[in-house]
C-alpha cells in the first residue's frame, strides 16, 4: 500500500502531495502555489473594504449630524470640514479628510437590540431561526478573492479587536479571522522542524479523510479546509502584515497608541498585503449614562480615539493611492435616542441615524439625506443596511445580481436586494 | 450497515417512497423513551426519510460521556463498556454515569459549567469591577447538581434569591449572582433574562416597543418587570478601598414611582414610543396578577414570580427544549429560548409531552437525561445516508433527527477531554485551583462586546484560532509531551507491543482502533523517527487530537 507520510519534503511539495490525494484540498493548493508570482498584480488590482465597527451603537447625532440649538442636540458644536458638510468639534482631524467621506444621514432601520442590530447591520438580513446569513465580511471577501488570482495565505476576512459576525451558510472557511489589536496571533509556532510538521500533517490528513469519507456532512469537511488554511498561515511570510510595530514611531503615534489605532494601522497593512476585507472594532458606545463626558469632554474621550485613527487611515489610503480601490464603512448596530435621558445618556434608537462611507470611487465630502430639526425622524428617502451594502458592492465592482444559494435551495441575493444610494455615484 | 445503505440507495434509485422500518428501536421498557421514539419516527414517515443506522457502541459511549460528564471516556472506560454484552448495556451505562457515586463530582462539574454559562455567561465575574462572584455562582450550582436538586426548586431559589454573592460571607447564597448585574435601568436585564432562560420567551425588544414577531407587547414587558422592583444589590466595599468585596441581594419596600406613589399600590411607569407615559403592576405572562403592594413584608414580588414561573407550562417546555438541544445539538425551536406562535416547534407534541413528563417526574433532570440518551434518535450514527441527506439543519432545514448531527465540542469539554485522553492526573491543586486553570485557559477564546446587556462571543468555533490552539497551544503541547513521567512516555516505555501502543492512542483520542491506512502511516512514522518510539507516538497522538473526529461530538 502507498503510504502517505512524506519523508524529507518541502511545504510546497507537501501541499501538492496532499492535493493529489484528495479533491478536497485543491483550493488550498491553488492558494499555496501562486503566492509570490501574483503578489504584484494583487496589490495593483486589489479591491478591498474596511469596516470600522462601533460596537454598542454610537450616537450619530453627536458625531455626524449635529442639531445645535435643538433640545435634543446635546452640547457639542459643529465644525466645518474639507467637504461640504459639518461634523462634531471633537473630530477635527477627520474634518480635514471629509472630502473623502460621505455621511448617509437618512439611515432608518428597525433593530434596536444589540445582538439583532449587530446581525442586521452585518448581514442585511434580520435574524431568522431557520437560516444563518453570511456577514458582509464573508460575502465581500468571497467575491473579491474570486475576482483575482489570489496568492493570499492569510485569511481573506480579518477582524481586529472584535469578533464580527460569522460566515453563515458560506461555511467556516469564510469565517472572520479574529485577532487582537496587538497584532500577535497566538500559538503560531509549533516549535518543530518543517519536515516533521509536514509528516504530522500527513498523518492528520489521513485520519481526516477517513472521517470525512464516511459522509458526515459539511461540518467535517469544513474542518479540513480550516486545517489547510491554518498550515498556510503558520508558514506564511505574509504574517508580517500584522506587525504594526514595524511601522515608524510617528506613524504609530498618528493612528494612536491604543487598540483601535493599532487596529486601523493593521487594516491598512493587511489591505496592502492583499486582504480584501478587514473589520476593526471600537467598542464602548452603549452610552446610557454620561454620554457627553464619555464621548468628548471627559478623560480619554472616545471621539478622540476615533478621530485620530480614522483620519490617519483615510490619509494613508489616500497618500498611497489605495483609496480608489478601498471602500471604507463606519457604522454601529444603531444610534441613540435624540432624547437625553435622566442620567445624561441616550438609549437605543434605530429610526433616524447616520453611517459614513467613502473610497472605492464613492463621492466624498457630501451628506446624503436629512433628518428633521430635532433628529427624531428622517425627512428624505430612508436608507437601510442593504442599501449601504449595495452601494459598497457597486463601488467595488461586484454585480448586484450576484446570488448565493443556501444549500437548501434558498436563493439569497447579495446585499438583500438593497438599492444603490445614487448620490454617492454622481 | 452495508445492507441498510444498499437498500436505501435502491429505493431512492427506483423513485419509490422510502419506508421507515416497522420495527422500532429498543425503549428499555421506559414509556417516555417509547414515546420519544414514536414522536421522532412520525416526522421521518411524514417526510419520507430513512434514519441512519445506529452508531457503533463506542461512538455512542463517547457521546454519552461527553454529554453527561463533559469529557470523552478513558480507554479503560471504553473497554469496560465494550465488555458488557447485555442488551440493556446502554441503560446500565447511563444509570452508572447518572447515579454512581464515582461520577458524582464530574457530573456536577459538567452541569455547573453549563449552567454558569447560561446564567452569567462565559465572562461573568471575570472582568474588573464586576459585582458577580463567579465562584459563588458555581458553588451554588455544584451543590444543586451534586444533590440532584429538582429543577423547579433550583428555579425558585434563583428567581427569589436573597443574600450575599460571596462564599465565606455569613449570609452567602450563590444563587444571588444571577441577578446582581442585571438590575440596572430598572432591572431591564433581569426581566429579559428571566423570561428568556426560564420561560423561553425573548422579550428584550419589547422594553421599548411592541414585539414585531410575537405577541408580546410593551405593556407585558413592564408588567413582568414590576416583579423586580423590590430588588436591590447592596455593595460592600473592602475597607479603605473602592473594590467591591461582596454584594447583598435584598428585597426592600418599593414605594411605587411618580408623585403620590403609594406602597400598597406600588405602580411603575414606562414610556411609550410616542413619548406618552403608561403604567404597570406585576402581571405574569399568562395574565395572572401579582400583588400590587410594594411592602416587602407583606408581598415578596420575586417570591410570587418564582411560584408563577414554576407553575407555568412555559417553564416545563423550556427545560425540555434546552435538554433536547444539549443532547441532540438542535432544539425543537431555534433558538431554544425563543418559543411562541411566531417560531413553531419542529415536534410540538413531543415537546409538550416531554415538558409534562418532566413535571410529573418532579423535575428530576436525571430522568429527562435518561429518556433522551436512551432514545433512538440519540443512538443513530452521524453518517448521512441517501435516505436522509435532505435532513441538514445547517442548510436551514428544520431538524428531523434522522442522523446524529455533528457539533463542535464546547471549549470546556475539549479541555476536560484532553485531560482525560492524556490521563493527566488531577492531583495538581484542589477543585477550585483546577477550575481556575481551566478558566484562564478558556479566557483566550472569550470576548465581551462591552454593552450593557453583557453580550459576549467566543472564538472557540472551529476556526483558525482554535486550530492554531490545537496544533501548537500549550495545553496540547503538554498533552503530547514526551518528558519523563508524561502520558506518552509511559505508553512508549510500557510493555505493550508497538501495534498495541498505536491502538491505545487511537482509543484514547478517538475511541476506536486505527484502520489499515492509519496503521501503515503510523508504522512509517515509527521508521522515520528512527526507533525513537516516543517521538513517533507523539506525532501520531498529535495527529489524532487534531483530527475533527476528536474535536467533534459525533
Amino acid at each position: 500500500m502507498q503510504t502517505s507520510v512524506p519523508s524529507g519534503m518541502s511545504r510546497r511539495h507537501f501541499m501538492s502531495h496532499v492535493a493529489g490525494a484528495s479533491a478536497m484540498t485543491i483550493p488550498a493548493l491553488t492558494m499555496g502555489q501562486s503566492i509570490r508570482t501574483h503578489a504584484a498584480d494583487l496589490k495593483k488590482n486589489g479591491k478591498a473594504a474596511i469596516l470600522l465597527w462601533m460596537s454598542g451603537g454610537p450616537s450619530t447625532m453627536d458625531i455626524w449630524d449635529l442639531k445645535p440649538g435643538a433640545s435634543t442636540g446635546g452640547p457639542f458644536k459643529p465644525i466645518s470640514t474639507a467637504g461640504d458638510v459639518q461634523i462634531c468639534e471633537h473630530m477635527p482631524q477627520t474634518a480635514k479628510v471629509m472630502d473623502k467621506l460621505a455621511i448617509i444621514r437618512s439611515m432608518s432601520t428597525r433593530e434596536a437590540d444589540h445582538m439583532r442590530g449587530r446581525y442586521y447591520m452585518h448581514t442585511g438580513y434580520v435574524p431568522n431561526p431557520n437560516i444563518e446569513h453570511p456577514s458582509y465580511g464573508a460575502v465581500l471577501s468571497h467575491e473579491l478573492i474570486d475576482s483575482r488570482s489570489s496568492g493570499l495565505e492569510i485569511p481573506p476576512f480579518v477582524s481586529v479587536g472584535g469578533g464580527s459576525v460569522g460566515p453563515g451558510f458560506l461555511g467556516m472557511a469564510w469565517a472572520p479571522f479574529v485577532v487582537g489589536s496587538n497584532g500577535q496571533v497566538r500559538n503560531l509556532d509549533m516549535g518543530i522542524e518543517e519536515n516533521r510538521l509536514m509528516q504530522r500533517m500527513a498523518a492528520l490528513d489521513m485520519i481526516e479523510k477517513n472521517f470525512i469519507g464516511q459522509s458526515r456532512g459539511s461540518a467535517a469537511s469544513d474542518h479540513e479546509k480550516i486545517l489547510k488554511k491554518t498550515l498556510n498561515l503558520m508558514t506564511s511570510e505574509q504574517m508580517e502584515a500584522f506587525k504594526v510595530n514595524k511601522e515608524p514611531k510617528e506613524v504609530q503615534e498618528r493612528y494612536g497608541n491604543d487598540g483601535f489605532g493599532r487596529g486601523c494601522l493593521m487594516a491598512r497593512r493587511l489591505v496592502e498585503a492583499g486582504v480584501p476585507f478587514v473589520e476593526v472594532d471600537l467598542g464602548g458606545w452603549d452610552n446610557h449614562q454620561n454620554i457627553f463626558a464619555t464621548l468628548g469632554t471627559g478623560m480619554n474621550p472616545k471621539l478622540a480615539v476615533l478621530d485620530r485613527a480614522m483620519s490617519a487611515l483615510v490619509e494613508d489610503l489616500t497618500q498611497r493611492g489605495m483609496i480608489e480601490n478601498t471602500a471604507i464603512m463606519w457604522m454601529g448596530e444603531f444610534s441613540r435616542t435624540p432624547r437625553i435621558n435622566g442620567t445624561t445618556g441616550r438609549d437605543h434608537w434605530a429610526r433616524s441615524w447616520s453611517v459614513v462611507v467613502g473610497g472605492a470611487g464613492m463621492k466624498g465630502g457630501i451628506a446624503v439625506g436629512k433628518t428633521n430639526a430635532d433628529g427624531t425622524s428622517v425627512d428624505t428617502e430612508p436608507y437601510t443596511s442593504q442599501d449601504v451594502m449595495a452601494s459598497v458592492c457597486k463601488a467595488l465592482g461586484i454585480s448586484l445580481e450576484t446570488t448565493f444559494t443556501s444549500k437548501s435551495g434558498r436563493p439569497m441575493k447579495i446585499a438583500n436586494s438593497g438599492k444603490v444610494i445614487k448620490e454617492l455615484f454622481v | 450497515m452495508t445492507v441498510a445503505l444498499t437498500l436505501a440507495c435502491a429505493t431512492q434509485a427506483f423513485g419509490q417512497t422510502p419506508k421507515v422500518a416497522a420495527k422500532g428501536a429498543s425503549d428499555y421498557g421506559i414509556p417516555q423513551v417509547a414515546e420519544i421514539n414514536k414522536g421522532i419516527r412520525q416526522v421521518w414517515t411524514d417526510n419520507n426519510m430513512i434514519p441512519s443506522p445506529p452508531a457503533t457502541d463506542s461512538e455512542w459511549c463517547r457521546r454519552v460521556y461527553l454529554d453527561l460528564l463533559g469529557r470523552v471516556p478513558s480507554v479503560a472506560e471504553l473497554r469496560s463498556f465494550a465488555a458488557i454484552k447485555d442488551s440493556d448495556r446502554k441503560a446500565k451505562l447511563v444509570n452508572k454515569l447518572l447515579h454512581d457515586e464515582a461520577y458524582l463530582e464530574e457530573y456536577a462539574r459538567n452541569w455547573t459549567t453549563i449552567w454558569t454559562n447560561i446564567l452569567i455567561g462565559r465572562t461573568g465575574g471575570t472582568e474588573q469591577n464586576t459585582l458577580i462572584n463567579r465562584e459563588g455562582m458555581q458553588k451554588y450550582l455544584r451543590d444543586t447538581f451534586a444533590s440532584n436538586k429538582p429543577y423547579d426548586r433550583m428555579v425558585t431559589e434563583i428567581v427569589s434569591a436573597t443574600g450575599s454573592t460571596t462564599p465565606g460571607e455569613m449570609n452567602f447564597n450563590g444563587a444571588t449572582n444571577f441577578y446582581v448585574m442585571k438590575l440596572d435601568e430598572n432591572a431591564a436585564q433581569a426581566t429579559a433574562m428571566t423570561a428568556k432562560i426560564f420561560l423561553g420567551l425573548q422579550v428584550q425588544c419589547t422594553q421599548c416597543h411592541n414585539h414585531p414577531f410575537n405577541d408580546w407587547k410593551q405593556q407585558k414587558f413592564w408588567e413582568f418587570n414590576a416583579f423586580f422592583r423590590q430588588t436591590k444589590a447592596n455593595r460592600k466595599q473592602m475597607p479603605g478601598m473602592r473594590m467591591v468585596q461582596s454584594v447583598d441581594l435584598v428585597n426592600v419596600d418599593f414605594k411605587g414611582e411618580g408623585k403620590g406613589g403609594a406602597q400598597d399600590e406600588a405602580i411603575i411607569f414606562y414610556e411609550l414610543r410616542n413619548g406618552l407615559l403608561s403604567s404597570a403592576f406585576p402581571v405574569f405572562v399568562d395574565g395572572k396578577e401579582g400583588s400590587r403592594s410594594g411592602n416587602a413584608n407583606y408581598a415578596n414580588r420575586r417570591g410570587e414570580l418564582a411560584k408563577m414561573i414554576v407553575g407555568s407550562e412555559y417553564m416545563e417546555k423550556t427545560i425540555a427544549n434546552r435538554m433536547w438541544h444539549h443532547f441532540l445539538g438542535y432544539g425543537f425551536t431555534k433558538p431554544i429560548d425563543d418559543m411562541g406562535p411566531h417560531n413553531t416547534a419542529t415536534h410540538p407534541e413531543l415537546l409538550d409531552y416531554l415538558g409534562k413528563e418532566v413535571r410529573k417526574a418532579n423535575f428530576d433532570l436525571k430522568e429527562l437525561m435518561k429518556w433522551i440518551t436512551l432514545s433512538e434518535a440519540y443512538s443513530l450514527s452521524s453518517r448521512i445516508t441517501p435516505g436522509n441527506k435532505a435532513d441538514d439543519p445547517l442548510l436551514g432545514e428544520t431538524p428531523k433527527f434522522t442522523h446524529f448531527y455533528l457539533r463542535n465540542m464546547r471549549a470546556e469539554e475539549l479541555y476536560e477531554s484532553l485531560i482525560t485522553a492524556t490521563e493527566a492526573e488531577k492531583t495538581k491543586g484542589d477543585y477550585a485551583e483546577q477550575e481556575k486553570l481551566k478558566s484562564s485557559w478558556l479566557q483566550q477564546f472569550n470576548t465581551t462586546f462591552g454593552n450593557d446587556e453583557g453580550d459576549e462571543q467566543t472564538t472557540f468555533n472551529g476556526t483558525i484560532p482554535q486550530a492554531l490552539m490545537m496544533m501548537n497551544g500549550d495545553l496540547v503541547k503538554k498533552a503530547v509531551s514526551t518528558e519523563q513521567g508524561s502520558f506518552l512516555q509511559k505508553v512508549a516505555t510500557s510493555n505493550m507491543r508497538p501495534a498495541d501502543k498505536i491502538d491505545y492512542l487511537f482509543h484514547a483520542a478517538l475511541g476506536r482502533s486505527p484502520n489499515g491506512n492509519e496503521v501503515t502511516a503510523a508504522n512509517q512514522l515509527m521508521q522515520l523517527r528512527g526507533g525513537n518510539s516516543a517521538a513517533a507516538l507523539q506525532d501520531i497522538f498529535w495527529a489524532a487530537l487534531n483530527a475533527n473526529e476528536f474535536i467533534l461530538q459525533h
Side-chain angles (χ1 to χ4, degrees), chain A residues 129-130 199-200 208 216 286, chain B residues 334 382 396 452 529 539 548:
Chain A
N130 295 322
Q199 289 156 4
R200 278 187 180 182
E208 285 289 274
R216 309 266 185 172
D286 198 11
Chain B
K334 189 182 172 198
S382 59
D452 291 0
R529 295 285 87 83
D539 294 334
N548 59 22

Side-chain angles (χ1 to χ4, degrees), chain A residues 13-264:
Chain A
H13 188 148
F14 169 75
M15 294 307 280
S16 60
H17 177 88
V18 168
S22 158
M24 289 289 187
T25 57
I26 284 172
L29 168 72
T30 42
M31 265 187 205
Q33 274 186 338
S34 52
I35 300 177
R36 244 65 71 185
T37 38
H38 295 287
D41 279 352
L42 191 145
K43 277 177 201 165
K44 214 164 38 192
N45 302 326
K47 301 249 188 223
I50 297 172
L51 168 60
L52 305 179
W53 180 258
M54 304 295 118
S55 188
S59 174
T60 57
M61 68 181 290
D62 292 313
I63 311 173
W64 307 115
D65 188 12
L66 275 68
K67 302 289 175 188
S71 64
T72 52
F76 297 164
K77 294 186 179 63
I79 53 170
S80 298
T81 69
D84 204 13
V85 290
Q86 290 194 316
I87 62 172
C88 172
E89 57 181 326
H90 297 294
M91 298 283 283
Q93 298 301 320
T94 307
K96 293 181 194 158
V97 296
M98 276 314 286
D99 55 328
K100 304 290 187 302
L101 301 170
I103 307 169
I104 302 162
R105 283 183 173 154
S106 46
M107 291 296 289
S108 187
T109 57
R110 290 174 57 91
E111 302 297 338
D113 166 76
H114 288 291
M115 293 313 275
R116 293 183 65 90
R118 183 180 181 81
Y119 186 94
Y120 169 65
M121 289 308 292
H122 270 91
T123 64
Y125 288 84
V126 295
N128 174 326
N130 295 322
I131 191 161
E132 273 180 48
H133 302 96
S135 66
Y136 291 152
V139 169
L140 288 180
S141 56
H142 183 274
E143 288 309 296
L144 293 174
I145 202 134
D146 278 355
S147 68
R148 46 176 140 158
S149 48
S150 167
L152 196 65
E153 291 180 315
I154 43 187
F157 173 10
V158 179
S159 169
V160 187
S164 192
V165 168
F169 62 72
L170 286 185
M172 291 315 278
W174 298 99
F177 179 50
V178 183
V179 298
S181 58
N182 59 11
Q184 272 169 7
V185 178
R186 296 174 82 113
N187 304 321
L188 203 57
D189 298 314
M190 196 177 291
I192 58 173
E193 58 184 270
E194 195 164 287
N195 252 345
R196 190 161 171 215
L197 167 60
M198 295 309 144
Q199 289 156 4
R200 278 187 180 182
M201 287 303 294
L204 169 54
D205 198 54
M206 180 136 284
I207 302 174
E208 285 289 274
K209 280 205 186 64
N210 174 57
F211 192 71
I212 295 164
Q214 294 165 343
S215 175
R216 309 266 185 172
S218 58
S221 46
D222 270 1
H223 181 253
E224 195 193 26
K225 287 181 208 157
I226 297 291
L227 286 178
K228 297 291 182 295
K229 281 172 185 272
T230 308
L231 180 67
N232 270 339
L233 193 74
M234 281 165 59
T235 52
S236 174
E237 287 160 26
Q238 294 172 8
M239 290 305 292
E240 284 294 302
F242 288 96
K243 296 181 181 158
V244 283
N245 57 7
K246 295 260 161 101
E247 292 283 333
K249 262 254 144 40
E250 65 270 18
V251 175
Q252 296 184 46
E253 270 160 25
R254 201 154 49 82
Y255 278 83
N257 195 19
D258 47 63
F260 186 65
R262 282 191 296 274
C264 285

Side-chain angles (χ1 to χ4, degrees), chain A residues 52 54 58 60 63-64 306 310 328-332 354-356:
Chain A
L52 305 179
M54 304 295 118
T60 57
I63 311 173
W64 307 115
L306 172 64
M310 189 171 180
I328 301 168
M329 291 172 267
W330 177 100
M331 62 193 186
S354 307
V355 309
V356 175

Side-chain angles (χ1 to χ4, degrees), chain B residues 14-26:
Chain B
F14 290 105
Q16 294 166 354
T17 309
K19 289 214 170 53
V20 174
K23 192 180 159 292
S26 169

Side-chain angles (χ1 to χ4, degrees), chain B residues 173-398:
Chain B
N173 174 8
T176 54
N177 282 290
F178 177 58
Y179 282 130
V180 285
M181 287 283 275
K182 299 182 175 73
L183 297 171
D184 284 352
E185 286 186 73
N186 294 323
Q189 276 303 300
T191 310
M193 295 302 274
T194 303
K196 185 166 136 168
I197 294 173
F198 299 121
L199 299 169
L201 298 167
Q202 295 214 5
V203 302
Q204 62 272 30
C205 315
T206 58
Q207 181 185 350
C208 313
H209 54 82
N210 293 340
H211 200 290
F213 310 118
N214 67 29
D215 54 6
W216 265 74
K217 299 283 179 267
Q218 199 184 354
Q219 173 77 10
K220 267 191 169 178
F221 181 94
W222 291 103
E223 286 172 345
F224 197 73
N225 171 272
F227 285 105
F228 295 96
R229 293 303 189 88
Q230 288 171 324
T231 313
K232 288 278 166 299
N234 293 335
R235 299 158 193 231
K236 224 173 161 181
Q237 241 92 294
M238 288 206 205
M241 287 167 82
R242 287 180 62 195
M243 243 172 59
V244 175
Q245 178 180 316
S246 66
V247 179
D248 268 345
L249 197 70
V250 294
N251 292 329
V252 295
D253 290 342
F254 174 58
K255 298 186 170 49
E257 290 183 321
K259 273 189 207 140
Q263 195 168 287
D264 55 346
E265 286 271 321
I267 199 167
I268 65 166
F269 292 104
Y270 63 93
E271 194 175 325
L272 297 171
R273 285 192 74 160
N274 58 16
L276 296 177
L277 280 187
S278 194
S279 63
F281 290 105
V283 182
F284 192 60
V285 292
D286 58 5
K288 207 177 288 154
E289 291 189 23
S291 163
R292 292 188 167 199
S293 169
N295 182 326
N297 291 322
Y298 175 78
N300 175 343
R301 285 191 175 187
R302 274 193 296 139
E304 289 180 4
L305 175 64
K307 277 199 199 105
M308 292 182 192
I309 289 178
V310 161
S312 89
E313 70 175 43
Y314 292 105
M315 181 181 97
E316 64 201 36
K317 278 196 217 175
T318 303
I319 188 62
N321 203 16
R322 184 181 294 287
M323 283 294 177
W324 187 266
H325 171 268
H326 173 82
F327 288 97
L328 276 304
Y330 286 88
F332 297 113
T333 63
K334 189 182 172 198
I336 52 167
D337 45 21
D338 186 14
M339 303 201 291
H342 65 293
N343 192 12
T344 33
T346 55
H347 301 67
E349 286 161 15
L350 182 54
L351 178 59
D352 276 6
Y353 171 82
L354 283 176
K356 290 201 169 72
E357 285 302 305
V358 73
R359 180 179 293 279
K360 268 194 224 158
N362 299 314
F363 288 102
D364 179 348
L365 294 185
K366 288 188 177 180
E367 283 297 299
L368 183 54
M369 293 177 197
K370 187 175 76 188
W371 306 333
I372 298 176
T373 50
L374 292 177
S375 72
E376 182 180 18
Y378 190 73
S379 77
L380 297 175
S381 170
S382 59
R383 299 182 190 212
I384 299 159
T385 61
N388 59 51
K389 217 175 156 188
D391 177 19
D392 190 347
L394 274 183
L395 308 181
E397 291 295 317
T398 56

